Amino acid sequence: MSSVRIQRAFGWGLWFVVLSACSCLATTRHYYIAAEDVTWNYAPSGHNLMNGSPIPQPWSQKVEWAKSRFIEYTDDTFTTPKRQPDWLGILGPVIRAEVGDEVVVDFLNRGHRGHDLHPHGLRYDKSNEGSLYIPVAKGAFVAPGARYTYHWFANQASGPGPGQPSSIVWWYHSHVDAGVEINAGLMGPIIVTAKGKANSDGSPKNVDREFVASFMIFNELGAKPAGQFYAINGFIFGNLPGLTMKQGDKVRWYLLGMGNEIDLHTPHWHGETVTDGRRNTDVIELLPGSMVTVDMLADNPGTWMFHCHVEDHMESGMMAVYTVYAPPARACPLAIVGGDFWNHPENFSLTVKNISGKAITGLVLTSEMFLAPQDLRRPYNPDWSSAKPILTGEEQTLGRPGIRAASAQAVLGWVFFPQSVKYDDGTSWLAQTEGECFDVIWRDQQHPDLPALPPRQIEINAD
């Protein structure tokens, strides 16, 4: 071989090594997490949303309690909280890594007592263990008002093993007085994705949607019944919001168990089955401290129960619902442009736009209201109507008397959807399913859009 060909071969080989090395470069994922004392409400609606009745005794005596949580912020100033999915509930933010990544957590303790951060599954040295015991190391105790930076590594043993899904879940929690702190709410999930199978944010490429569900009995009154809250992500009796997925989605569920000897849980899905890579099932076994990852193909549209199948846990409210919604089957005739329901609550206004492509001569809308994130109700007089024409692409503002200011502020959002639309060519659009073409006007203008509505509350009588 000539010297030129040898140089070319060496050059291409060198470039291959360099490119291969670049493709294997790990990412450093930075998180800014504070421990903060908060007030937590196990049932924000004040109702058992599984059957439309009030929260039963003894839990109805008090559902708000002093807790502590891990809160994520956008940077090291710890001034702007990061918005988290509603379904995370009391859990801290999801910490993600791909195998090979470093995880850096800037931790600020805003609580009234010392805390730390201890990860399961990730690799760390003694000063990054986040656990207080002898021998005591740095990072084992962060005093109130103090900060510490933890460095963890997602090695091969942190990621999925043979036969497991492309990502798996671990715990993190405070470990100064672990039992007390976990019961206070200082815990959250770590999700590690296999090398080469992660998106840029660390989530698995082969999954459409992910949910984390923690099953734990919180003890607020020294094991007295009125203080035992059988919660999924800190919510009881159907108050857990946001478990929605589109028909056809591949959904990954990360299941976590924590607590003590009474925390033997069996998460069960109605309407669908899941797989853990070895078996198909619809019930998973959880022990305290355990972590299980399963996959679901969401192919059965409807709103379904998701609960612990231990009998007294069901009776105590360890229940929620999840919704599989079908993609829209047809175009909507109207768009909700805006409305005023809080600034001038004595006079409501609603602006709609004709997006049908034909002139509209009349319409009827139905309204519903969110009184809590999962509590959807229909007002006494729900219908809005107009007989004024709306040309294609034009807007029209509808008005009606409002309600008392105090009552208006109790509403988180107003839901509107068309029931019927009449066109000038004599044809009509009629709703085929309840809530078709819905839109929500939120009191909090930064509230994320909902892909599907929770079930409207009606009281169910067993007799």
Side-chain angles (χ1 to χ4, degrees), residues 118-126 128-131 151-153:
H118 169 66
H120 288 225
L122 299 181
R123 186 80 170 183
Y124 47 79
D125 60 21
K126 193 66 181 177
N128 293 284
E129 180 186 11
S131 298
H151 295 264
W152 306 326
F153 182 67

Side-chain angles (χ1 to χ4, degrees), residues 347-350 384-385 397-401:
N347 291 299
F348 286 167
S349 67
L350 176 70
W384 292 57
S385 62
T397 298
L398 290 65
R400 65 184 300 174

Side-chain angles (χ1 to χ4, degrees), residues 48-50 87-88 91 210-216 230-245 251-257 265-274 281-286 292 294 296 302-310 313-315 317-324 374 455:
N48 177 354
L49 298 181
M50 304 301 294
W87 50 259
L88 265 177
L91 298 179
E210 299 169 280
F211 296 109
V212 179
S214 163
F215 288 73
M216 177 177 164
Y230 293 67
I232 306 174
N233 290 1
F235 291 109
I236 59 174
F237 290 105
N239 278 263
L240 173 60
L243 298 181
T244 58
M245 60 209 74
V251 182
R252 183 153 294 165
W253 294 83
Y254 303 103
L255 307 172
L256 298 167
H265 301 299
T266 51
H268 167 53
W269 295 263
H270 288 215
E272 300 279 13
T273 59
V274 297
T281 183
D282 61 7
V283 177
I284 295 293
E285 304 81 16
L286 284 181
V292 179
V294 295
M296 168 190 291
T303 294
W304 306 105
M305 187 181 292
F306 175 51
H307 65 100
C308 178
H309 218 292
V310 178
H313 296 187
M314 284 189 277
E315 295 172 358
M318 194 169 261
M319 298 183 291
V321 297
Y322 72 99
T323 296
V324 180
Q374 194 71 4

Side-chain angles (χ1 to χ4, degrees), residues 435-458:
E436 183 179 6
C437 294
F438 80 91
D439 206 344
V440 186
I441 299 177
W442 295 102
R443 189 178 67 192
D444 174 8
Q445 297 182 7
Q446 303 304 312
H447 194 288
D449 292 335
L450 293 182
L453 293 174
R456 177 165 50 88
Q457 287 296 300
I458 56 174

